[in-house]
């Protein structure tokens, strides 16, 4: 599931316009919003270490990244949160949150202000897509700790494509499963002339799209590579073909921290960097049966 498509739309618009200006060159800083009911939100690094735990926000129902199964919160992002906590010498606590209408709303609710009802801010929010222009606009948040480059891929039935894996043009004739209202759905629906629309099959989640593929209901499935890999069976495979007209088919995931707690953001970034260097993050991905791609933004 791609939680916030507007981020990628922003990137696409920037790239397609051929923008050459320096990062944040045209951004006019806005007045810092005030917290409605309190002056201090969140906790600094010293407070976290003293109390003995760190709180993470992660998206709910977002397998293989963060989800609950058999009463246990699990996933790649959850393991990365535990890794950060271990590095700080504290306990990791997790709050699975629903995605809001956009990423700015999520960061406002779970990092720098807090929701209007029910819940409170976390110290760190996991699985935040990084974009430098967006980071200019959201001054209340530090975007750091990039740990993975995600990419759009296509999963397919090996018996349907014994010789050549499918590319988008194949879906003029072949069926393809996608998560409804996802970036893959929008891409295929907008493919030149709407040629593919009749063969796109939409499902509530990427996991259900992969289940449909495994059951033979479609010939292929398109979406973020990790979510496709999580649903692979021996009859299926996945590849990353060229995607004509897809301005942003890859992006970097990291974490978000309240802008006031720079010490915490540095410590979190150091923990992730060390785990990238010594292979622990790659091991986390491998344990979940996923391919890790080192972030290029670091």
């Amino acid at each position: 599931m791609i939680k916030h498509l507007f981020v990628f739309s922003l990137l696409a618009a920037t790239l397609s316009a051929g923008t050459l200006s320096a990062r944040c060159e045209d951004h006019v800083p806005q007045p810092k919003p005030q917290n409605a009911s309190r002056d201090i939100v969140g906790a600094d690094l010293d407070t976290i270490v003293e109390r003995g735990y760190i709180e993470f926000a992660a998206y709910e129902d977002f397998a293989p990244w963060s989800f609950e199964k058999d009463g246990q919160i699990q996933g790649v992002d959850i393991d990365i949160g535990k890794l950060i906590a271990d590095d700080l010498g504290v306990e990791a606590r997790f709050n699975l949150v629903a995605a809001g209408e956009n990423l700015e709303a999520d960061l406002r609710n779970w990092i720098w202000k807090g929701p209007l009802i029910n819940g409170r801010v976390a110290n760190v929010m996991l699985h935040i897509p990084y974009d430098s222009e967006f980071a200019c606009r959201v001054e209340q948040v530090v975007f750091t700790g990039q740990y993975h480059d995600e990419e759009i891929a296509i999963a397919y039935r090996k018996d349907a494509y014994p010789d050549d894996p499918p590319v988008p043009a194949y879906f003029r004739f072949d069926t393809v499963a996608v998560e409804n209202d996802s970036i893959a759905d929008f891409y295929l629906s907008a493919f030149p002339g709407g040629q593919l629309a009749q063969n796109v099959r939409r499902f509530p989640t990427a996991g259900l799209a992969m289940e449909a593929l495994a059951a033979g209901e479609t010939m292929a499935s398109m979406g973020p590579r990790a979510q496709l890999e999580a649903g692979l069976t021996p009859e299926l495979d996945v590849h990353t073909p060229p995607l004509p007209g897809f301005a942003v088919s890859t992006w970097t995931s990291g974490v978000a921290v309240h802008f006031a707690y720079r010490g915490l953001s540095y410590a979190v970034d150091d923990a992730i960097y060390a785990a990238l260097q010594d292979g622990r993050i790659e091991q986390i991905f491998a344990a979940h049966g996923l391919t890790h791609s080192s972030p290029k933004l670091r």
Side-chain angles (χ1 to χ4, degrees):
M1 179 185 297
I2 299 299
K3 295 290 181 179
H4 301 292
L5 298 176
F6 84 102
V7 175
F8 308 108
S9 298
L10 171 66
L11 277 167
T14 301
L15 293 174
S16 63
T19 303
L20 297 177
S21 59
R23 177 180 181 270
C24 303
E25 182 178 73
D26 298 327
H27 176 69
V28 178
Q30 302 299 308
K32 293 290 191 298
Q34 298 299 309
N35 293 305
S37 60
R38 53 220 181 267
D39 295 326
I40 299 176
V41 172
D44 61 17
L45 179 60
D46 289 341
T47 299
I48 289 169
V49 172
E50 182 178 351
R51 75 188 185 191
Y53 66 89
I54 183 171
E55 295 179 308
F56 294 93
Y59 288 112
E60 65 181 14
D61 300 326
F62 192 27
W65 302 105
S66 49
F67 59 101
E68 188 170 346
K69 183 178 180 181
D70 300 328
Q72 297 293 320
I73 295 176
Q74 52 192 285
V76 173
D77 289 339
I78 303 307
D79 289 345
I80 290 175
K82 292 176 180 177
L83 180 153
I84 294 169
D86 286 345
D87 194 82
L88 299 180
V90 297
E91 174 193 353
R93 297 183 181 180
F94 298 94
N95 181 25
L96 296 185
V97 302
E101 62 183 18
N102 56 44
L103 182 57
E104 288 177 279
D106 289 347
L107 295 171
R108 180 177 65 249
N109 288 337
W110 308 116
I111 290 296
W112 64 265
K113 185 174 184 180
L116 293 177
I117 56 173
N118 296 331
R120 61 181 183 179
V121 298
N123 306 122
V124 177
M125 190 164 188
L126 299 161
H127 211 94
I128 300 301
Y130 178 79
D131 169 55
S132 62
E133 296 299 324
F134 179 73
C136 292
R137 302 205 318 266
V138 185
E139 300 170 0
Q140 301 83 17
V141 176
V142 176
F143 298 87
T144 188
Q146 286 86 32
Y147 54 85
H148 178 62
D149 277 353
E150 299 190 58
E151 60 183 351
I152 296 294
I154 296 176
Y156 59 94
R157 295 192 62 83
K158 291 187 282 189
D159 57 2
Y161 302 99
D163 300 318
D164 298 310
V167 297
Y170 285 30
F171 304 137
R172 289 180 295 173
F173 310 102
D174 302 342
T175 53
V176 56
V178 297
E179 179 182 357
N180 189 44
D181 288 339
S182 66
I183 195 170
D185 182 7
F186 289 131
Y187 171 73
L188 293 176
S189 299
F191 203 79
Q195 303 172 54
L196 315 182
Q198 64 181 357
N199 288 320
V200 177
R201 305 290 183 265
R202 296 173 177 84
F203 296 85
T205 67
L208 291 174
M210 286 300 292
E211 288 181 16
L213 175 61
E217 297 175 22
T218 66
M219 299 170 68
S221 180
M222 186 173 179
R225 184 181 184 100
Q227 291 177 277
L228 302 183
E229 288 183 333
L232 288 179
T233 68
E235 296 76 29
L236 308 179
D237 205 348
V238 63
H239 79 131
T240 309
L243 299 173
F246 207 143
V248 185
S249 59
T250 64
W251 62 94
T252 298
S253 290
V255 306
V257 178
H258 193 293
F259 79 100
Y261 304 126
R262 293 280 179 172
L264 174 61
S265 70
Y266 296 147
V268 170
D269 189 65
D270 286 346
I272 289 175
Y273 180 76
L276 285 169
Q277 294 299 109
D278 64 20
R280 282 177 291 156
I281 285 184
E282 185 175 3
Q283 291 170 9
I284 288 173
F285 278 75
H288 289 271
L290 307 178
T291 302
H292 176 249
S293 179
S294 293
K296 299 178 179 61
L297 287 175
R298 295 197 67 91

